[in-house]
Amino acid sequence: MADTPEFDPALALSHKFPDTTYSYTERDSALYALGIGACASNAVDADELKFVYHEDGQESIKVLPTFAAIIALGSAAFDLPGLQFDPRLLLHGQQYIELYKPFPSSCHIHNKVSLAGLHDKGKAAILEVETKSYEKESGDLLCMNRSTVYLRGAGGFSNSSKPFSYSNYPLNQTSAVKIPDSKPFSVFEDHTQASQALLYRLSGDYNPLHSDPMIAKVAGFSQPILHGLCTLGFAVRAIIKNICKGDPDMIKSIAGRFLLHVYPGETLVTEMWLEGLRVIYRTMVKERKRTVLSGYVDLRGLTSSL
């Protein structure tokens, strides 16, 4: 357990995280789309060309909904006064995203950050940070991210026999889902490239675990691994293509639980079950036959062709 006697979880609940800003251009939006595999197998894909090119006279490219995670990336500060942990032992456990408006192809963002959850798990702590992203010019709320991280070695700070646990959001927004026993509504297979993590990192996540072979080996992996949020982007792209018929604005919210690492170059198979306006999904690595990601996506509606 972490030796953190000065850490008071009750005081942590009133901690104010600093606001942050983020600006992106159309180039950043397109680079992100390429980073999560858009147009990788077909450069003129009818469903995906609009994410990287002004197709058919459209004024600007469309922005994929999981770009929300990039907008909040720099604001997800996991430092609470007195809570000590080794950043190398941080594990990204879950991501929850709510989308309120389609993203402009370029934008200046104002992020407001707050503590959404803190849990003492004995040898570890679970920290949940919420980021609300506003368009600077209009003040419109564009999206909300809630990142859940598992801090190994940071637990044991409870002041009573009952482990400290705090959450300020509804339980139905967690990413835990029961995978149906029935046949999936749709299955989509996608190949990641050997250079996928090197391409995705250009969108702002420069953690060397995803690029440096020595760092990856110290962390227990045979080679650098793919970013979990990149895998989430692949899964949501599969849902947009197969359920939303290419329309990213149908996505209302996204929940994902990261279960296992992916090595760049592996094949991702995403299974989808449609339950009303909710898509339950599971993403597996074909080569190792292991589930790496699961969760759900809530939709604003369904296309008539379904």
Side-chain angles (χ1 to χ4, degrees), residues 228-288:
L229 288 172
C230 182
T231 304
L232 181 66
F234 267 82
V236 175
R237 251 188 58 243
I239 292 169
I240 292 170
K241 190 171 185 62
N242 292 271
I243 306 292
C244 304
K245 303 305 177 186
D247 183 1
D249 297 339
M250 288 178 60
I251 305 291
K252 181 180 179 183
S253 63
I254 299 163
R257 175 171 287 189
F258 306 109
L259 303 172
L260 193 67
H261 62 279
V262 174
Y263 289 118
E266 291 186 314
T267 305
L268 299 177
V269 179
T270 298
E271 301 171 304
M272 297 157 260
W273 291 264
L274 191 57
E275 296 187 352
L277 292 178
R278 172 165 289 188
V279 181
I280 295 175
Y281 70 89
R282 173 174 62 191
T283 300
M284 307 177 70
V285 165
K286 184 177 182 180
E287 290 82 359
R288 288 182 284 139

Side-chain angles (χ1 to χ4, degrees), residues 160-225:
S160 65
S161 58
K162 184 179 179 182
F164 185 88
S165 184
Y166 163 81
S167 295
N168 71 352
Y169 59 88
L171 289 176
N172 63 1
Q173 291 181 359
T174 61
S175 59
V177 294
K178 185 181 185 302
I179 301 298
D181 296 325
S182 58
K183 181 181 177 181
F185 178 84
S186 184
V187 179
F188 186 70
E189 185 173 305
D190 216 349
H191 300 279
T192 66
Q193 304 299 314
S195 58
Q196 200 73 55
L198 298 177
L199 179 57
Y200 182 83
R201 73 188 293 271
L202 299 179
S203 287
D205 189 340
Y206 297 110
N207 185 336
L209 178 63
H210 308 293
S211 54
D212 190 313
M214 293 304 297
I215 297 291
K217 285 180 180 177
V218 169
F221 301 105
S222 61
Q223 66 184 72
I225 62 174

Side-chain angles (χ1 to χ4, degrees), residues 28-167:
D28 299 315
S29 306
L31 183 62
Y32 172 78
L34 296 172
I36 62 167
C39 295
S41 59
N42 179 4
V44 293
D45 188 299
D47 290 327
E48 297 188 334
L49 190 58
K50 60 179 170 286
F51 300 127
V52 296
Y53 176 68
H54 296 204
E55 187 185 10
D56 294 332
Q58 67 186 50
E59 291 185 6
S60 59
I61 66 170
K62 295 288 289 182
V63 182
L64 284 153
T66 45
F67 188 69
I70 298 296
I71 290 173
L73 191 62
S75 65
F78 301 114
D79 294 323
L80 286 176
L83 182 64
Q84 299 173 11
F85 66 94
D86 186 338
R88 295 172 298 179
L89 300 179
L90 182 153
L91 296 175
H92 192 172
Q94 300 178 53
Q95 190 78 11
Y96 176 76
I97 300 170
E98 286 185 353
L99 302 147
Y100 308 117
K101 289 183 65 177
F103 295 119
S105 59
S106 59
C107 192
H108 298 292
I109 301 288
H110 179 203
N111 290 316
K112 295 185 178 181
V113 189
S114 61
L115 182 67
L118 178 63
H119 313 275
D120 186 353
K121 294 298 182 180
K123 292 186 177 181
I126 292 177
L127 183 61
E128 300 172 282
V129 174
E130 184 173 290
T131 303
K132 291 184 176 179
S133 301
Y134 299 81
E135 186 178 12
K136 258 189 175 182
E137 188 173 341
S138 66
D140 291 344
L141 179 59
L142 295 177
C143 65
M144 182 273 284
N145 276 267
R146 189 181 304 119
S147 301
T148 302
V149 294
Y150 189 80
L151 306 175
R152 289 176 286 177
F157 52 76
S158 300
N159 296 322
S160 65
S161 58
K162 184 179 179 182
F164 185 88
S165 184
Y166 163 81
S167 295

